[in-house]
């Protein structure tokens, strides 16, 4: 017997002879959120939860504190440990009566922040300004990071959608973490010297509706029918598809013309290139840089034997949202540019001979279309055979006036409750210091509904995490070409919703980002300054520092003869204009849409004075009202006054 064989045999015997509880030493008594290197919220009861055999007692210990609980009939348990001040490291352990143990070392107690939203919150450190130096200098052992695995679900989940770990901040760990979240904590620790736990739960392109739970979303508006379809989808996607299709078709009949999903429907159909691909590359001027909807259709010939089978429609990746029909029957809808489409076609929907395939494709960013190669598009049958979709395709462009279509409620980032279910619900009722929220770009096309959604989101998350949970909101940065005349803007309307939301909530703060965006890039790289502004908001709202949370804040607009006085609060010393003697971007408006005019302005202390055009019945004032305005009004702190719209009131004594 060789030495290597003897060593292997001894090791194997050691495993066999070891006590049974040793093999279970790493059993997950604690929920996967609780891991070594984590941070628990200070100065509040510490909530813990996990799983054990039904009825079994679990003993939990953090430092010298201990509590015992018993698992319920489903094998779930919850416990609370007394509040602790900031400190550590501690050992957190869980032990069941059956001998299973779990031990977490290097646990800190400090402030825990949930950072959530869409791609600008998701944007990693390695994509920001001066990233090489920022990564090299990222040695902060008391800033701990946790990335919630991306997961979309039609129902609330208790578990994460994949493996995740808490990590101390090092050059190796920080590069792929949320830049806004990390830079915020780094800045905040300069004045709040406690451990910081950062939880990043974000998804690029996500709409606010996806981050709100079912009950709150139902109470916020008219999403009840779609949520009913989602509930059906949770048990039978095949049954849900036609139900959603009927809701989509109802929307189209209100906004569009005809029924293009029907076989041989009339319309301005044109031949599409044989290779399909991104419509920006077809050489059609109307489709270059086009963001909107395009109809596609083709046909496929089937035998009677093929038509009698269950089938699956394969379409390859579609950028970015499709609604699909076979022979006029809705079979599916999906969101995501890199997600191959795969839809069940139940027996009875196909027929011998000619069958129609129709898609409505929506794109909102960069290129759009059917992006896969020809081999990715086919009908696959239950017997394993397949028929390629290699017949000519036709298309027609949908006029922009039709508007934005509804999203299928299961469409991940564009769905209803899907990300709340998959990424927020698994966090349970974890103790938090507050929330950082950067989202809104994907809702700018329907900004009128955003205030109600924000209210529902606030109620929902505070019900879960605490009635006075601080909410720090990033107001959308500038993006796109600057205006040359007053315009209507969904981005500006959404910024105003964010401003009003924060103004009406004593436990909310606003980080104005109108001057640190990039007109050419929806993902501005200066997340360092954003982190500083978020930290400043936290210092005021959460920690009670006597500093302005976000720069000059508009108070009111008062008429004074032929002039208008715009008064500001939270002004450091005095207002000032960058690069000119007077600020630009102010508009005086009448009641009607399209009545706004640029107005000359002058600055006096904390007030901006505007001249009213003689032929305008002025009712309101707007500032920096565009997708990407040029804003020049600041105070001595270097913080900008954010965009706003205010009504004009009669003058009163100060």
């Amino acid at each position: 017997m060789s030495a290597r064989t003897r060593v292997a045999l001894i090791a194997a015997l050691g495993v066999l002879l070891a006590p049974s509880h040793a093999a279970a030493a790493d059993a997950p008594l604690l929920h996967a959120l609780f891991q070594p290197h984590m941070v628990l919220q200070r100065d509040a009861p510490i909530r813990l939860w996990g799983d054990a055999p039904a009825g079994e007692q679990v003993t939990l210990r953090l430092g010298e504190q201990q509590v015992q609980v018993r698992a319920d009939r489903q094998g779930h348990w919850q416990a609370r440990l007394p509040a602790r001040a900031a400190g550590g490291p501690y050992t957190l352990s869980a032990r069941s009566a059956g001998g299973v143990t779990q031990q977490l070392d290097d646990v800190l107690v400090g402030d825990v922040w949930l950072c959530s939203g869409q791609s600008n919150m998701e944007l990693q450190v390695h994509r920001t300004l001066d990233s090489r130096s920022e990564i090299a200098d990222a040695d902060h052992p008391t800033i701990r990071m946790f990335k919630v695995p991306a997961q979309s679900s039609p129902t609330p989940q208790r578990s994460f959608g994949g493996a995740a770990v808490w990590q101390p901040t090092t050059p190796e760990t920080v590069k792929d973490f949320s830049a806004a979240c990390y830079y915020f904590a780094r800045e905040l620790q300069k004045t709040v010297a406690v451990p910081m736990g950062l939880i990043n739960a974000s998804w690029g392109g996500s709409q606010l509706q996806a981050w709100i739970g079912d009950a709150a979303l139902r109470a916020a508006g008219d999403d009840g029918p779609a949520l009913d379809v989602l509930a059906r989808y949770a048990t039978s996607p095949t049954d849900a598809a036609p139900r959603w299709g009927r809701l989509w078709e109802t929307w189209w009949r209100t906004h569009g013309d005809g029924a293009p999903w029907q076989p041989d429907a009339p319309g301005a159909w044109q031949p599409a290139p044989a290779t399909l691909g991104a419509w920006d590359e077809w050489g059609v001027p109307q489709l270059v840089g086009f963001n909107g909807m395009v109809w596609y259709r083709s046909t496929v010939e089937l035998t009677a034997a093929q038509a009698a089978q269950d089938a699956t429609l394969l379409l390859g990746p579609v950028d970015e949202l499709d609604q699909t029909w076979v022979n006029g029957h809705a079979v599916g809808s999906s969101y995501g540019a890199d997600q191959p489409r795969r839809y069940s076609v139940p027996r009875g929907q196909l027929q011998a001979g000619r069958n129609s395939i129709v898609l409505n494709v929506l794109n909102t960013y960069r290129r759009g279309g059917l992006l896969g190669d020809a081999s990715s598009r086919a009908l696959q049958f239950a017997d394993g055979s397949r028929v390629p979709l290699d017949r000519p395709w036709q298309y027609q462009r949908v006029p922009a006036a039709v508007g934005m279509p509804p999203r299928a409620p299961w469409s991940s980032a564009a769905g209803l409750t899907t990300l709340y279910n998959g990424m927020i619900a698994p966090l349970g009722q974890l103790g938090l210091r507050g929330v950082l929220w950067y989202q809104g770009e994907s809702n700018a096309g329907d900004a009128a509904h955003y205030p109600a959604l924000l209210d529902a989101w606030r109620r929902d998350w505070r019900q879960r995490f605490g009635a006075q949970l601080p909410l720090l909101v990033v107001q959308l940065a500038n993006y796109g070409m600057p205006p040359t005349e007053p315009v209507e803007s969904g981005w500006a309307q959404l910024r105003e919703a964010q401003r009003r939301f924060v103004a009406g909530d004593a436990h909310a703060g606003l980080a104005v980002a109108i001057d640190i965006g990039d007109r050419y890039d929806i993902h501005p790289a200066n997340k360092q300054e954003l982190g500083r502004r978020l930290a400043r908001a936290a210092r005021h709202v959460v920690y009670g520092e006597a500093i302005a949370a976000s720069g000059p804040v508009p108070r009111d607009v008062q008429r004074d003869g032929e002039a208008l006085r715009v008064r500001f609060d939270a002004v450091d010393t005095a207002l000032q204009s960058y690069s000119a003697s007077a600020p630009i971007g102010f508009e005086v408006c009448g009641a009607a849409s399209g009545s706004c005019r640029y107005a000359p302005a002058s600055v006096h202390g904390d007030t901006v004075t505007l001249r009213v055009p003689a032929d305008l019945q002025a009712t309101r004032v707007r500032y920096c009202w565009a997708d990407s305005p040029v804003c020049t009004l600041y105070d001595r702190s270097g913080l900008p006054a954010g965009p706003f719209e205010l009504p004009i009131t009669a003058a009163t004594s100060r």
Side-chain angles (χ1 to χ4, degrees):
M1 182 182 296
S2 68
R4 178 176 294 180
T5 303
R6 285 197 302 273
V7 170
L9 181 58
I10 291 169
L13 288 171
V15 172
L16 292 172
L17 297 175
S20 60
H21 65 81
D26 296 325
L29 288 172
L30 290 157
H31 187 275
L33 180 61
F34 302 101
Q35 296 184 19
H37 313 302
M38 77 171 304
V39 179
L40 298 168
Q41 180 57 47
R42 64 175 170 143
D43 302 332
I46 297 172
R47 299 186 183 96
L48 304 171
W49 62 94
D51 299 286
E56 192 159 288
Q57 183 173 279
V58 178
T59 301
L60 301 148
R61 181 183 291 273
L62 178 66
E64 76 285 356
Q65 298 172 339
Q66 178 176 301
V67 66
Q68 292 181 330
V69 295
R70 194 172 297 277
D72 62 19
R73 293 180 178 179
Q74 288 73 44
H76 306 322
W77 60 262
Q78 298 183 48
R80 287 193 179 191
L81 287 168
R84 302 186 74 110
Y90 300 103
T91 295
L92 172 63
S93 65
R95 178 173 51 86
S96 73
V100 176
T101 61
Q102 186 177 3
Q103 179 172 303
L104 313 181
D105 296 321
D106 190 33
V107 174
L108 301 179
V109 177
D111 285 345
V112 182
W113 295 91
L114 174 57
C115 304
S116 189
Q118 57 182 108
S119 55
N120 270 303
M121 181 59 79
E122 191 175 37
L123 190 84
Q124 307 95 327
V125 170
H126 72 80
R127 296 175 59 186
T128 62
L129 295 177
D130 200 21
S131 62
R132 182 177 297 180
S133 296
E134 293 284 14
I135 292 170
D137 293 340
D139 184 14
H140 302 283
T142 61
I143 297 178
R144 308 293 177 81
M145 305 175 298
F146 183 90
K147 177 68 167 72
V148 177
Q151 178 179 216
S152 170
S153 174
T155 56
Q157 297 299 298
R158 195 168 187 271
S159 303
F160 294 124
V165 296
W166 281 91
Q167 296 177 309
T169 300
T170 69
E172 291 73 31
T173 62
V174 79
K175 59 185 179 181
D176 291 321
F177 196 71
S178 164
C181 195
Y182 163 63
Y183 291 137
F184 158 81
R186 185 183 68 180
E187 181 70 17
L188 187 59
Q189 269 198 339
K190 296 176 181 178
T191 54
V192 184
V194 302
M196 297 285 173
L198 308 179
I199 300 173
N200 176 22
S202 53
W203 190 309
S206 56
Q207 295 189 314
L208 181 49
Q209 296 93 316
W211 295 103
I212 304 171
D214 181 280
L217 195 56
R218 287 180 184 273
D222 55 0
D223 287 316
L227 288 166
D228 291 341
V229 172
L230 182 65
R232 185 63 177 172
Y233 180 87
T235 58
S236 178
T238 301
D239 289 347
R243 300 183 186 206
W244 170 248
R246 289 191 287 273
L247 292 179
W248 197 101
E249 292 161 12
T250 298
W251 171 86
W252 176 267
R253 290 189 177 99
T254 302
H255 298 83
D257 294 323
W261 56 87
Q262 293 293 349
D264 302 317
W269 295 97
Q270 302 178 60
T275 56
L276 295 179
W279 62 56
D280 299 67
E281 301 169 2
W282 289 0
V284 179
Q286 295 84 356
L287 293 177
V288 176
F290 174 67
N291 288 326
M293 288 186 289
V294 173
W295 286 98
Y296 290 80
R297 72 180 184 185
S298 186
T299 61
V300 60
E301 292 283 337
L302 301 177
T303 67
Q306 291 167 332
Q309 300 181 58
D310 292 325
T312 301
L313 177 64
L314 308 175
L315 294 170
V318 180
D319 194 349
E320 60 194 64
L321 177 73
D322 72 284
Q323 177 65 46
T324 299
W325 295 261
V326 174
N327 290 332
H329 301 282
V331 297
S333 178
S334 300
Y335 174 86
D338 58 354
Q339 179 184 349
R341 275 42 173 185
R342 186 182 180 91
Y343 299 134
S344 295
V345 184
R347 193 175 307 178
Q349 291 190 4
L350 298 173
Q351 59 195 22
R354 188 168 175 266
N355 294 262
S356 76
I357 312 293
V358 179
L359 290 80
N360 179 282
V361 177
L362 169 72
N363 180 62
T364 63
Y365 181 63
R366 292 184 177 170
R367 64 179 189 166
L370 277 66
L371 304 186
D373 57 27
S375 65
S376 67
R377 295 182 286 273
L379 271 173
Q380 182 173 292
F381 299 96
D383 63 6
S385 64
R386 42 191 292 149
V387 174
L389 303 182
D390 55 3
R391 293 201 163 199
W393 286 80
Q394 295 179 311
Y395 80 95
Q396 60 173 316
R397 182 179 179 271
V398 178
V402 172
M404 301 291 284
R407 274 72 159 171
W410 56 79
S411 297
S412 62
L416 304 179
T417 81
T418 46
L419 303 187
Y420 177 89
N421 293 335
M423 301 176 71
I424 301 302
L427 297 175
Q429 294 181 301
L430 182 72
L432 300 176
R433 176 59 73 192
V435 170
L436 274 59
W437 182 252
Y438 195 159
Q439 191 280 332
E441 297 94 334
S442 292
N443 285 92
D446 188 21
H449 289 115
Y450 203 70
L453 292 173
L454 276 175
D455 288 342
W457 169 74
R458 170 172 52 196
R459 289 194 301 271
D460 199 27
W461 285 35
R462 284 182 173 166
Q463 183 178 14
R464 175 174 288 275
F465 297 114
Q468 296 183 342
L469 177 73
L471 305 171
L472 307 183
V473 177
V474 179
Q475 195 181 47
L476 291 187
N478 51 303
Y479 171 65
M481 296 308 297
T484 58
E485 59 184 6
V487 296
E488 299 305 318
S489 165
W491 281 60
Q493 190 178 358
L494 194 138
R495 292 186 190 107
E496 177 66 1
Q498 294 171 321
R499 185 190 71 82
R500 293 180 180 234
F501 172 83
V502 170
D505 191 324
H507 302 289
L510 191 70
V512 176
I514 196 65
D515 60 331
I516 54 174
D518 187 332
R519 71 177 64 168
Y520 302 106
D521 190 347
I522 201 171
H523 303 117
N526 188 3
K527 293 296 189 285
Q528 293 91 330
E529 177 61 21
L530 179 66
R532 285 189 284 270
R533 295 182 185 184
L534 282 166
R536 184 183 180 102
R539 289 167 59 191
H540 174 81
V541 174
V542 180
Y543 301 100
E545 284 196 48
I547 58 173
S550 62
V553 176
R555 184 198 313 174
D556 56 26
V557 181
Q558 296 187 351
R559 182 181 291 276
D560 186 3
E562 298 302 312
L564 299 174
R565 314 284 185 199
V566 185
R567 299 189 296 175
F568 289 83
D569 292 324
V571 176
D572 183 352
T573 310
L575 296 170
Q576 56 187 24
S577 178
Y578 283 3
S579 300
S581 59
I584 62 174
F586 281 91
E587 302 171 18
V588 178
C589 311
S593 176
S595 63
C596 296
R597 304 186 193 176
Y598 288 133
S602 58
V603 173
H604 310 277
D606 63 356
T607 301
V608 172
T609 301
L610 309 175
R611 294 202 303 271
V612 182
D615 59 343
L616 179 66
Q617 188 67 36
T619 62
R620 54 199 169 101
V621 167
R622 303 193 312 198
Y623 173 66
C624 279
W625 199 268
D627 292 5
S628 187
V630 177
C631 307
T632 63
L633 185 64
Y634 290 74
D635 66 9
R636 296 288 175 85
S637 72
L639 293 173
F644 65 86
E645 180 180 69
L646 287 175
I648 299 171
T649 61
T652 58
S653 59
R654 297 187 68 168

